[in-house]
Amino acid sequence: MAIIEQHQLLENLKEGIKKAQFLSESVLVSYSKQIEFIDPLVFYRNGEILYKGSRIYWSDVEDVTMVGLGSAVVQAYNGEERFEKIEEYWRKVITGAVIHREVDVKGTGPVCMGGFSFDPVQMKTRLWKDFPDANFTVPNWLLTVKGNQCFLSINASVNEHMDPCTIESQLIDLEMQLLKNNTIPTPSQGESLMVEENQINEWLAMVHKSIDAINKGEMEKVVLSRTTTVTANKTFDQSSVLLALQERQSDCYTFAFEKGTSTFVGSTPERLIKKAGGKFNTMCLAGTISRGQTAEEDQKLGETLLSDPKNRDEHQMVVTMISDAMGKVCDKIVKSDSPQIYKSKDVQHLYTPIKGETKRELSLLSVVKALHPTPAMGGVPTEKAIEAIRERETYERGWYSAPIGWFDEDGDGEFVVAIRSGLITKENAVLFSGCGIVADSDPQSEYLETKIKFTPMLTALGGGWE
Ligand SMILES: C=C(O[C@@H]1C=C(C(=O)O)C=C[C@H]1O)C(=O)O
């Protein structure tokens, strides 16, 4: 087992405390090093007692997993200026921080992880009581796994009254506990669950109404979502759910944000934006069909989707909006002229990747703000669609269909759109699923599409459709 490089950590803590004395405010100290391999889900589980209510799990499509435990720094904000407020706060934290890395690896050190709600104006309900419109934290402990290499970052907020030796010895004790070997969880399966799709008739009526509004020219597209409630006879085991998601949804981003007694979990195929220096990567994902039972049927379904005018139109609206938004902030953008197929375990989508580049200073959060909500989650025109969602949907979306992700001290990072997800509270889970409604939509097919989109979460909880 790797032991903290005591000397260096102590030096960093001393420096941080001195700085805190000088500034008369808390300072973030961050120290990272390579450690022996530990399964990220074991680390997540090891943090259950000490850091219950503040754990984060994030695994991307490029084989990087990050697990955050506890909060060295946390910032929450409700209201429409959330992107600016988080950015302002982060700049301040990072300017004062003392950062030391034994290894120069992205995704280590003071990584700020969190998410936003879909609509800060939508009425708040109890469901999302622990999830503000913006909530970001720098975990006390961040495990970063790249392939089979593991890195541990220790982040601590220190103030002028602290004693560096005491903090150091506490950290050494904690590290031993968090890195201990433990059994790897097994995926949940065949659990006895009660599964209830909520308000199906109300949802279908809302789809009919929206199609009428679209035909009257009030808008072109609106994304309507609904919920399914799942109840188990015992508390869901988060590590098992995450493992099941990761194994079945290998082409997706698997995430968990634990806040208080609830955890927002899911496996999304949809990247919103990734920033590395002046390079940005985004994608348009809209237009859906099921997977086939055989390779031949699957291929045929993909071809049907590619040549279906209704899905192509729906997809094009997303491409137009995202290319316009990226075109405004980047010096150049590159995108293909026609969509490809993106296959995940349960569904296939139309997919157009878009790359952007700029030489100017452009922050990740300002691009998140410019893109959210894309017409894959809101609609066209955006304002009309958001109003329709606010008025018609019968529940609070919270963080579902909203940007979640991370960024670092250089401003690099990645945000995805939190779909194929659910909110777990002890033995209860609320799952979310939506689809784009356009003039040619057939309410029954849209209902079935949303039903398939519940499948990734439902199976991860150990259930399935009858
Ligand atoms: C809104 C969701 O999915 C979005 C809607 C899609 C569609 O309407 O075809 C496809 C992918 C996603 O952009 C969801 O899964 O909840």
Side-chain angles (χ1 to χ4, degrees):
M1 182 177 297
I3 300 293
I4 292 175
E5 305 293 337
Q6 293 191 28
H7 175 69
Q8 187 56 49
L9 176 65
L10 189 60
E11 287 313 305
N12 295 148
L13 289 167
K14 283 181 185 160
E15 189 186 333
I17 291 168
K18 234 193 214 159
K19 212 168 177 182
Q21 278 160 356
F22 177 73
L23 296 171
S24 291
E25 59 185 22
S26 300
V27 161
L28 177 65
V29 174
S30 179
Y31 171 79
S32 4
K33 60 178 177 176
Q34 184 157 10
I35 57 165
E36 277 172 30
F37 185 83
I38 176 165
D39 186 290
L41 284 171
V42 168
F43 187 74
Y44 187 82
R45 188 176 261 180
N46 284 352
E48 181 160 357
I49 295 172
L50 283 169
Y51 297 102
K52 182 95 190 137
S54 55
R55 291 182 295 166
I56 297 175
Y57 189 89
W58 174 272
S59 95
D60 71 13
V61 289
E62 283 157 14
D63 204 21
V64 175
T65 303
M66 291 192 269
V67 182
L69 303 177
S71 302
V73 166
V74 57
Q75 178 70 344
Y77 186 82
N78 279 318
E80 289 183 81
E81 285 172 30
R82 57 216 177 129
F83 301 102
E84 295 82 353
K85 292 284 179 195
I86 295 294
E87 182 129 33
E88 200 180 295
Y89 179 74
W90 182 238
R91 238 181 261 136
K92 188 164 173 275
V93 168
I94 230 50
T95 312
V98 173
I99 303 168
H100 180 87
R101 288 186 176 82
E102 300 288 336
V103 277
D104 188 17
V105 176
K106 271 271 166 208
T108 64
V111 175
C112 193
M113 307 173 87
F116 297 98
S117 65
F118 174 76
D119 174 12
V121 177
Q122 193 184 20
M123 214 173 60
K124 307 262 184 282
T125 62
R126 270 189 60 77
L127 180 66
W128 290 97
K129 65 180 176 18
D130 296 317
F131 290 78
D133 291 327
N135 190 190
F136 281 81
T137 140
V138 176
N140 285 122
W141 301 90
L142 176 69
L143 176 76
T144 309
V145 184
K146 293 196 170 190
N148 55 13
Q149 289 195 307
C150 279
F151 306 92
L152 184 67
S153 308
I154 303 165
N155 298 306
S157 175
V158 299
N159 66 44
E160 55 194 312
H161 307 296
M162 286 175 167
D163 170 47
C165 296
T166 314
I167 311 176
E168 189 209 23
S169 70
Q170 284 167 351
L171 289 172
I172 292 171
D173 278 355
L174 283 169
E175 180 179 341
M176 300 257 275
Q177 290 181 51
L178 296 174
L179 293 184
K180 68 177 184 263
N181 254 327
N182 231 324
T183 42
I184 298 173
T186 47
S188 10
Q189 50 189 207
E191 309 284 337
S192 62
L193 301 177
M194 263 173 47
V195 180
E196 195 178 342
E197 291 180 74
N198 299 315
Q199 299 182 299
I200 300 175
N201 290 334
E202 286 81 351
W203 191 79
L204 285 168
M206 183 163 80
V207 173
H208 276 287
K209 253 194 182 161
S210 302
I211 296 172
D212 287 348
I214 292 169
N215 282 323
K216 279 192 209 139
E218 288 171 25
M219 57 190 165
E220 285 178 67
K221 175 182 177 180
V222 62
V223 177
L224 294 178
S225 64
R226 61 190 186 93
T227 59
T228 284
T229 306
V230 183
T231 314
N233 52 14
K234 60 178 195 311
T235 300
F236 286 109
D237 176 32
Q238 292 183 33
S239 304
S240 301
V241 174
L242 286 167
L243 181 64
L245 281 173
Q246 206 155 273
E247 284 186 347
R248 277 178 55 96
Q249 312 296 330
S250 50
D251 296 326
C252 293
Y253 297 76
T254 294
F255 60 86
F257 289 87
E258 187 184 45
K259 308 234 165 277
T261 50
S262 300
T263 308
F264 183 44
V265 187
S267 259
T268 175
E270 194 158 340
R271 168 185 278 166
L272 183 65
I273 188 79
K274 177 175 179 170
K275 175 183 187 303
K279 291 193 167 62
F280 292 82
N281 278 282
T282 175
M283 62 151 83
C284 312
L285 199 77
T288 307
I289 206 161
S290 54
R291 295 295 308 263
Q293 300 291 339
T294 61
E296 201 187 355
E297 191 201 352
D298 197 51
Q299 163 96 7
K300 278 222 176 85
L301 283 167
E303 282 160 15
T304 306
L305 180 62
L306 271 174
S307 57
D308 176 48
K310 177 232 169 211
N311 275 292
R312 285 295 286 263
D313 280 358
E314 216 179 308
H315 183 78
Q316 189 51 45
M317 289 184 210
V318 181
V319 175
T320 306
M321 181 268 178
I322 294 187
S323 342
D324 285 356
M326 292 301 286
K328 276 191 197 135
V329 292
C330 289
D331 304 332
K332 89 168 189 213
I333 65 163
V334 180
K335 76 168 173 63
S336 43
D337 293 333
S338 46
Q340 311 158 27
I341 292 290
Y342 191 107
K343 289 182 197 288
S344 62
K345 180 83 179 168
D346 305 291
V347 282
Q348 26 194 338
H349 295 298
L350 292 177
Y351 158 70
T352 304
I354 299 182
K355 284 180 198 299
E357 248 183 270
T358 179
K359 289 199 170 56
R360 284 168 291 156
E361 268 300 303
L362 178 62
S363 80
L364 179 58
L365 289 188
S366 69
V367 183
V368 170
K369 183 183 175 182
L371 292 177
H372 176 75
T374 73
M377 298 302 133
V380 178
T382 305
E383 268 317 309
K384 274 261 176 257
I386 298 295
E387 273 165 33
I389 292 168
R390 243 174 239 157
E391 204 176 289
R392 292 183 191 149
E393 282 188 349
T394 53
Y395 78 102
E396 185 195 356
R397 279 197 188 190
W399 282 26
Y400 158 69
S401 71
I404 54 169
W406 64 274
F407 47 89
D408 64 15
E409 79 257 37
D410 299 327
D412 292 336
E414 182 164 26
F415 277 81
V416 299
V417 184
I419 51 173
R420 316 294 144 82
S421 53
L423 188 64
I424 299 179
T425 312
K426 294 181 184 157
E427 69 278 13
N428 299 304
V430 179
L431 315 187
F432 311 98
S433 171
C435 63
I437 307 299
V438 290
D440 297 337
S441 283
D442 164 44
Q444 194 57 27
S445 323
E446 303 294 0
Y447 161 74
L448 289 174
E449 180 178 321
T450 45
K451 186 163 177 170
I452 306 178
K453 287 171 172 172
F454 284 124
T455 308
M457 269 310 294
L458 188 57
T459 46
L461 294 176
W465 295 114
E466 296 288 283

